[in-house]
Amino acid sequence: MAAILEGLRFQPGTSFIHRLDPRVKLLISSTLLITALLYSEITVTSIVIAVEAALSAASRTLKRWARTVYGAIPLITLVFSMNYIFLSLQAEVFTDPEIIYRSFAAAYRLIGFLASFSIFFLTTTPEELGMTFTKLRIPYMYSFALISAIRFTPVLAEELQAIIDAQRARGLELDKGGPITRIKRYVPVLIPLIVNVLRRSYELAEAMEVKCFGASEKRTFLRELRMRPIDYVVLAITALCLAVSISVRFFVVLQVP
């Protein structure tokens, strides 16, 4: 779980992707996600994942992006198994190549879903996130809640792993016994985690109160977002790719191998 959430944590850098306007990066990630949603063909999904990997390599965040994909392997395996079992039972055939293809395609698309916004979050600071949502006319109260969730989710995942390791070092066996027994054994893990969450919530609330959060309706920022010529060029290319993706999906018939 912690590996999947690595894609939500900002990684400092000075790459070309880092310097792009966050609104442009949001459009790039949205285009990749929409394309992965529109197409179920493995070929198109492979292109989307290749583009995501190339962008991660260009921004020098490929290692953390790869960790996100690697951490999703259990979830991908689960999606493949569920689709294969459901489709096989529905068709009453367990060796149909088409069923295997459709199950693999559904699991494969999940990689594109999970990794599409990793590029955006890995190269965008929390301050830029807030400015982006403000420019999109989203109330700052909601954008602050979303930014806080994005920032603290990887931290909580690390704390959860640390608590699990500490309890295992004390002799707690989490991988033995039936489902009910395993759930009961997670109680010594969940209680410290809940205590840490409440403590962080109180600290965040006190910090917000000290800084007079919500005193001014119009939010100001130290630095304003300004589009540069290169941002407009990348924006135009991304919008063209999105238009082509939607047009091909609805007006061109793709042959499934």
Side-chain angles (χ1 to χ4, degrees):
M1 179 61 70
I4 298 178
L5 298 176
E6 283 293 320
L8 297 177
R9 179 178 297 178
F10 170 69
Q11 180 173 322
T14 58
S15 66
F16 168 74
I17 306 297
H18 280 83
R19 295 194 301 269
L20 283 176
D21 189 282
R23 291 167 291 184
V24 177
K25 290 185 283 188
L26 180 62
L27 179 61
I28 294 174
S29 296
S30 301
T31 300
L32 294 171
L33 177 62
I34 292 172
T35 303
L37 286 171
L38 290 177
Y39 297 90
S40 59
E41 292 77 10
I42 292 178
T43 304
V44 179
T45 306
S46 298
I47 294 174
V48 171
I49 295 175
V51 171
E52 293 171 351
L55 291 174
S56 299
S59 61
R60 298 182 180 89
T61 59
L62 182 60
K63 184 177 181 180
R64 187 169 291 182
W65 178 86
R67 286 190 62 189
T68 301
V69 176
Y70 177 77
I73 289 179
L75 184 60
I76 295 169
T77 305
L78 177 63
V79 171
F80 173 81
S81 302
M82 294 295 292
N83 277 273
Y84 177 74
I85 294 173
F86 176 78
L87 294 174
S88 298
L89 291 175
Q90 190 177 33
E92 298 182 352
V93 178
F94 288 88
T95 58
D96 190 352
E98 183 179 354
I99 292 178
I100 298 176
Y101 174 86
R102 291 172 61 185
S103 302
F104 178 77
Y108 194 42
R109 289 171 69 193
L110 186 60
I111 299 177
F113 298 160
L114 295 175
S116 58
F117 271 86
S118 292
I119 302 161
F120 175 69
F121 290 118
L122 286 171
T123 61
T124 307
T125 64
E127 182 186 5
E128 290 176 334
L129 282 174
M131 290 189 290
T132 301
F133 293 144
T134 301
K135 292 294 183 181
L136 295 176
R137 305 296 182 184
I138 298 176
Y140 188 74
M141 190 74 68
Y142 300 115
S143 62
F144 179 81
L146 178 60
I147 293 170
S148 299
I150 293 172
R151 291 183 63 182
F152 286 111
T153 299
V155 175
L156 294 178
E158 287 185 355
E159 288 187 355
L160 174 61
Q161 188 60 50
I163 293 171
I164 291 176
D165 293 340
Q167 297 291 28
R168 281 177 173 168
R170 292 178 173 89
L172 181 64
E173 296 180 346
L174 300 173
D175 302 326
K176 293 184 179 180
I180 304 299
T181 303
R182 291 188 181 186
I183 292 175
K184 290 181 179 179
R185 288 178 177 175
Y186 267 94
V187 173
V189 174
L190 295 177
I191 291 178
L193 181 64
I194 293 174
V195 171
N196 286 344
V197 169
L198 293 176
R199 178 177 55 82
R200 287 185 179 276
S201 300
Y202 283 122
E203 291 176 354
L204 181 60
E206 291 176 356
M208 292 168 59
E209 186 175 355
V210 169
K211 297 180 180 180
C212 300
F213 181 82
S216 176
E217 294 183 1
K218 186 177 180 180
R219 180 74 182 182
T220 59
F221 296 93
L222 178 64
R223 182 174 63 88
E224 292 293 333
L225 295 179
R226 289 184 176 84
M227 296 279 287
R228 300 175 299 163
I230 188 62
D231 293 319
Y232 286 108
V233 172
V234 176
L235 179 67
I237 294 174
T238 305
L240 178 61
C241 292
L242 178 60
V244 171
S245 175
I246 296 175
S247 301
V248 171
R249 172 62 180 85
F250 291 104
F251 299 105
V252 177
V253 178
L254 295 178
Q255 297 294 331
V256 177

